[in-house]
Amino acid sequence: MTITVVGHGYVGLVSACVFADSGNKVWVIGHTPEKLQRLKNGDPIIYEPGLAEMLKKNLKAGRLLFTDSYEESIAKSSIVFITVGTPPKKDGSADLTAVYKVAESVAKNLGDKFTVVSCKSTVPVGTNLEVGKILHKYKSKKATIAVASCPEFLREGSAISDTVVPDRVVLGSNDKNAIKLLLELHATFPGKRVVTNLPSAELIKYASNSMLATKISFANLISFYCEQTGADVEMVLDAVGMDKRIGRTFMYAGVGYGGSCFPKDVQALTDTGKNLNIDVSLLESVEKINHRARKLFVDKVLKHIKGKSVAIWGLAFKPDTDDIRFAPSIYVVQRLLKEGFSIKAYDAAAMSNVRKLISDPKLILVDEPYSALDGADALLVLTEWNEFKTLDASKVKKILKSPILFDGRNIYDPQKMRADGFTYFGIGRN
Ligand code: UGA
């Protein structure tokens, strides 16, 4: 099958590579010449394990073609996926300008064969209907189209396996032929098929991300109780999760969730709810607790250390990515800088992105974790990269000015750390 993917961010590029890898011819449309050239040369631009190899393999096989031309690709394609960004506006609603602009360009370049146009970008309920209206307004008479919603559930850091081995494939459309084509495209992937209408498919995506964010904020809320009562959040949530109806996965307390999805999607669902006159206080609390988690973490640091110098391990919003969008680390770094701190920080992948965002001379980025400890009054761990999990306690203690450890992801055993001579602060652990 020949398909077009408009956009080459995480969702676009990963989907394009995976569809090409399963034998389809995939055009990818972008508009920045420099980025397109890098992609054509096999450089995926974004950091994602396994992506460079898959990109190179499918470029070589001639199944992956990058272009800035709608004319070159759209008319040849049976399915067009729109995967451009939907950033949050100031009021929390999703900015759909790029999606609608792409829909217009797609419409103007449709050929005379049946084409399915589907948003893979996360878009609020009703967006695909709007896309349909735009397509009908700008397409030629001979072009026949159907709109579909085909949300993506990939996580950064494991994007390829999430796409190749999905838990479920959600396909929303009122058009039987559209569903048939989409089922055919996804035939090689395992996982349950959920075939539904457009609004259900659109809502499934927001409901999934908001449920996951709710689990995290619930874990953080319980950690606030633990901090004040002597309870241990890991113990509490382990036992809570033993109830099969609840489960333990994705319910870890820490400095809170970040990234380009949960913060934006919880806000967008809140905004949609407000427009529909629905009480959105649950979603508002999820967001509030998330901010509180990172705030309390910094409060704790300020309360317990004497000097004004810290080491930070981990800046990415989660491990295995270089992404720092809405990362808790950005709040922590900026607040500590404001308080007059000097910071030495290390991250396995995200440092060049941090460098672009924060240019304060009091933030020094170092090439390996132990160099960050030099002259620091405490070590703060903000991302649970694997390389931090087996820390060399005697080396850390030797380099730090005082052996204080703030574990923002609960990756260390408090008892062991204390036995090793650290003053240890976890999240919701005493
Ligand atoms: C999330 C969803 O997990 C994907 O299913 C979805 O497709 C994607 O958003 C999207 O909408 O595109 P992602 O943001 O890449 O994926 O990363 P997650 O692994 O979900 O982590 C999000 C944040 O939650 C991270 O900051 C992580 O540290 C935090 N988190 C996660 C916790 O604080 N506690 C947990 O128990 C789990």
Side-chain angles (χ1 to χ4, degrees):
M1 196 181 294
T2 299
I3 68 170
T4 291
V5 175
V6 187
H8 46 65
Y10 275 96
V11 171
L13 190 58
V14 171
S15 305
C17 286
V18 168
F19 286 133
D21 208 54
S22 47
N24 301 287
K25 182 164 184 173
V26 185
W27 291 88
V28 180
I29 299 183
H31 58 74
T32 315
E34 184 246 327
K35 286 187 181 170
L36 286 172
Q37 195 49 54
R38 281 172 65 188
L39 289 161
K40 282 181 194 171
N41 293 341
D43 169 2
I45 306 175
I46 52 172
Y47 177 93
E48 182 62 39
L51 190 58
E53 293 77 7
M54 202 177 240
L55 172 65
K56 283 186 194 124
K57 178 181 160 200
N58 287 284
L59 278 169
K60 201 169 162 206
R63 290 191 291 263
L64 207 44
L65 302 137
F66 291 91
T67 179
D68 60 359
S69 160
Y70 285 79
E71 216 180 323
E72 202 176 1
S73 57
I74 299 295
K76 297 175 192 130
S77 299
S78 307
I79 302 173
V80 177
F81 288 115
I82 300 176
T83 72
V84 293
T86 56
K89 290 200 269 191
K90 277 207 175 107
D91 63 0
S93 62
D95 185 347
L96 300 170
T97 317
V99 171
Y100 293 150
K101 213 171 136 212
V102 167
E104 188 181 323
S105 304
V106 170
K108 289 176 177 165
N109 288 282
L110 287 163
D112 48 10
K113 70 174 166 136
F114 176 68
T115 313
V116 179
V117 181
S118 168
C119 274
K120 255 194 187 297
S121 309
T122 301
V123 291
V125 185
T127 306
N128 278 289
L129 269 185
E130 283 305 312
V131 166
K133 283 184 199 158
I134 294 170
L135 291 169
H136 281 289
K137 184 171 167 193
Y138 291 102
K139 77 176 185 61
S140 67
K141 274 207 182 105
K142 60 179 193 287
T144 51
I145 53 125
V147 281
S149 168
C150 194
E152 186 52 60
F153 300 97
L154 59 84
R155 288 163 297 175
E156 289 182 24
S158 54
I160 291 179
S161 58
D162 286 346
T163 311
V164 177
V165 194
D167 290 335
R168 76 291 211 197
V169 173
V170 175
L171 306 172
S173 181
N174 304 330
D175 187 293
K176 279 194 184 123
N177 291 324
I179 295 291
K180 202 171 148 229
L181 267 176
L182 286 165
L183 283 171
E184 201 182 306
L185 180 67
H186 290 87
T188 53
F189 307 140
K192 293 196 173 123
R193 268 51 178 162
V194 181
V195 175
T196 182
N197 62 14
L198 278 178
S200 302
E202 289 169 330
L203 198 54
I204 284 167
K205 172 69 191 184
Y206 278 100
S208 300
N209 274 3
S210 298
M211 181 67 216
L212 292 167
T214 303
K215 280 187 98 172
I216 298 166
S217 279
F218 183 79
N220 281 326
L221 177 67
I222 296 303
S223 80
F224 304 159
Y225 285 86
C226 293
E227 300 243 334
Q228 296 202 35
T229 58
D232 182 300
V233 76
E234 298 299 334
M235 229 26 134
V236 172
L237 294 176
D238 279 349
V240 169
M242 284 170 199
D243 183 328
K244 289 194 187 72
R245 294 169 302 172
I246 300 172
R248 179 63 163 109
T249 46
F250 225 81
M251 203 167 57
Y252 289 88
V255 278
Y257 61 77
S260 67
C261 304
F262 292 168
K264 151 177 98 64
D265 293 349
V266 171
Q267 278 183 12
L269 191 62
T270 307
D271 177 71
T272 305
K274 281 182 182 162
N275 291 337
L276 296 170
N277 234 352
I278 292 166
D279 180 350
V280 288
S281 45
L282 173 65
L283 296 171
E284 285 173 334
S285 297
V286 168
E287 199 189 340
K288 251 191 236 162
I289 292 166
N290 193 48
H291 285 289
R292 180 146 284 267
R294 62 190 66 172
K295 183 186 174 299
L296 290 180
F297 180 80
V298 179
D299 290 350
K300 206 190 290 175
V301 173
L302 296 178
K303 187 174 164 196
H304 291 285
I305 71 168
K306 289 205 175 72
K308 290 246 172 191
S309 172
V310 292
I312 292 183
W313 281 4
L315 297 162
F317 84 97
K318 60 179 253 181
D320 295 321
T321 178
D322 64 353
D323 200 338
I324 53 161
R325 285 176 288 176
F326 298 97
S329 66
I330 302 307
Y331 167 86
V332 174
V333 166
Q334 285 178 333
R335 197 167 148 215
L336 289 175
L337 288 174
K338 230 175 170 180
E339 295 280 347
F341 274 73
S342 299
I343 302 171
K344 281 193 191 146
Y346 167 82
D347 187 275
M351 291 202 291
S352 65
N353 285 332
V354 174
R355 218 167 257 136
K356 281 182 222 149
L357 189 76
I358 306 172
S359 56
D360 195 310
K362 288 191 129 186
L363 171 67
I364 296 170
L365 302 173
V366 296
D367 288 339
E368 62 88 37
Y370 292 86
S371 306
L373 308 171
D374 200 17
D377 298 294
L379 167 62
L380 282 49
V381 179
L382 302 181
T383 316
E384 66 277 33
W385 284 95
N386 267 340
E387 64 183 291
F388 303 151
K389 288 182 181 162
T390 45
L391 117 170
D392 182 339
S394 54
K395 193 169 169 189
V396 173
K397 272 198 308 182
K398 211 166 139 196
I399 312 176
L400 275 179
K401 261 206 281 187
S402 39
I404 308 180
L405 176 54
F406 294 90
D407 178 1
R409 295 290 178 185
N410 283 353
I411 57 175
Y412 305 113
D413 176 347
Q415 275 167 15
K416 186 174 179 311
M417 285 298 133
R418 286 180 189 129
D420 280 344
F422 283 96
T423 304
Y424 173 88
F425 299 95
I427 302 285
R429 316 190 81 178
N430 293 283

